[in-house]
PDB file of all heavy atoms in Angstrom:
ATOM      1  N   ASP A 929      -3.847  17.452   7.841  1.00 94.00           N
ATOM      2  CA  ASP A 929      -4.902  17.320   8.758  1.00 94.00           C
ATOM      3  C   ASP A 929      -5.238  18.635   9.346  1.00 94.00           C
ATOM      4  O   ASP A 929      -4.719  19.697   8.850  1.00 94.00           O
ATOM      5  CB  ASP A 929      -4.301  16.529  10.005  1.00 94.00           C
ATOM      6  CG  ASP A 929      -5.385  15.876  10.871  1.00 94.00           C
ATOM      7  OD1 ASP A 929      -6.625  16.122  10.461  1.00 94.00           O
ATOM      8  OD2 ASP A 929      -5.064  15.167  11.722  1.00 94.00           O
ATOM      9  N   LEU A 930      -6.366  18.708  10.158  1.00 94.00           N
ATOM     10  CA  LEU A 930      -6.799  19.938  10.828  1.00 94.00           C
ATOM     11  C   LEU A 930      -6.893  19.663  12.242  1.00 94.00           C
ATOM     12  O   LEU A 930      -7.265  18.696  12.728  1.00 94.00           O
ATOM     13  CB  LEU A 930      -8.266  20.153  10.279  1.00 94.00           C
ATOM     14  CG  LEU A 930      -8.442  21.008   9.096  1.00 94.00           C
ATOM     15  CD1 LEU A 930      -9.883  20.900   8.499  1.00 94.00           C
ATOM     16  CD2 LEU A 930      -8.094  22.475   9.324  1.00 94.00           C
ATOM     17  N   THR A 949       0.099  22.446   5.113  1.00 83.00           N
ATOM     18  CA  THR A 949       0.844  23.734   5.250  1.00 83.00           C
ATOM     19  C   THR A 949       1.668  24.029   4.064  1.00 83.00           C
ATOM     20  O   THR A 949       2.025  25.276   3.921  1.00 83.00           O
ATOM     21  CB  THR A 949       1.808  23.617   6.479  1.00 83.00           C
ATOM     22  OG1 THR A 949       2.705  22.601   6.290  1.00 83.00           O
ATOM     23  CG2 THR A 949       0.947  23.243   7.827  1.00 83.00           C
ATOM     24  N   PRO A 952      -0.554  24.554  -2.333  1.00 83.00           N
ATOM     25  CA  PRO A 952      -0.811  25.826  -2.852  1.00 83.00           C
ATOM     26  C   PRO A 952      -2.345  26.139  -2.919  1.00 83.00           C
ATOM     27  O   PRO A 952      -2.592  27.359  -3.089  1.00 83.00           O
ATOM     28  CB  PRO A 952      -0.264  25.598  -4.359  1.00 83.00           C
ATOM     29  CG  PRO A 952      -0.293  24.206  -4.545  1.00 83.00           C
ATOM     30  CD  PRO A 952      -0.060  23.470  -3.205  1.00 83.00           C
ATOM     31  N   VAL A 954      -4.470  25.429  -0.392  1.00 81.00           N
ATOM     32  CA  VAL A 954      -5.185  25.445   0.970  1.00 81.00           C
ATOM     33  C   VAL A 954      -5.711  26.767   1.271  1.00 81.00           C
ATOM     34  O   VAL A 954      -6.827  26.797   1.959  1.00 81.00           O
ATOM     35  CB  VAL A 954      -4.043  25.020   1.951  1.00 81.00           C
ATOM     36  CG1 VAL A 954      -3.180  26.129   2.322  1.00 81.00           C
ATOM     37  CG2 VAL A 954      -4.840  24.493   3.285  1.00 81.00           C
ATOM     38  N   THR A 956      -7.444  28.807  -0.417  1.00 79.00           N
ATOM     39  CA  THR A 956      -8.683  29.112  -1.145  1.00 79.00           C
ATOM     40  C   THR A 956      -9.584  27.921  -1.169  1.00 79.00           C
ATOM     41  O   THR A 956     -10.486  27.893  -0.244  1.00 79.00           O
ATOM     42  CB  THR A 956      -8.389  29.650  -2.589  1.00 79.00           C
ATOM     43  OG1 THR A 956      -7.684  28.608  -3.182  1.00 79.00           O
ATOM     44  CG2 THR A 956      -7.665  30.877  -2.621  1.00 79.00           C
TER      45      THR A 956
END
Side-chain angles (χ1 to χ4, degrees):
D929 203 355
L930 271 169
T949 62
V954 76
T956 54

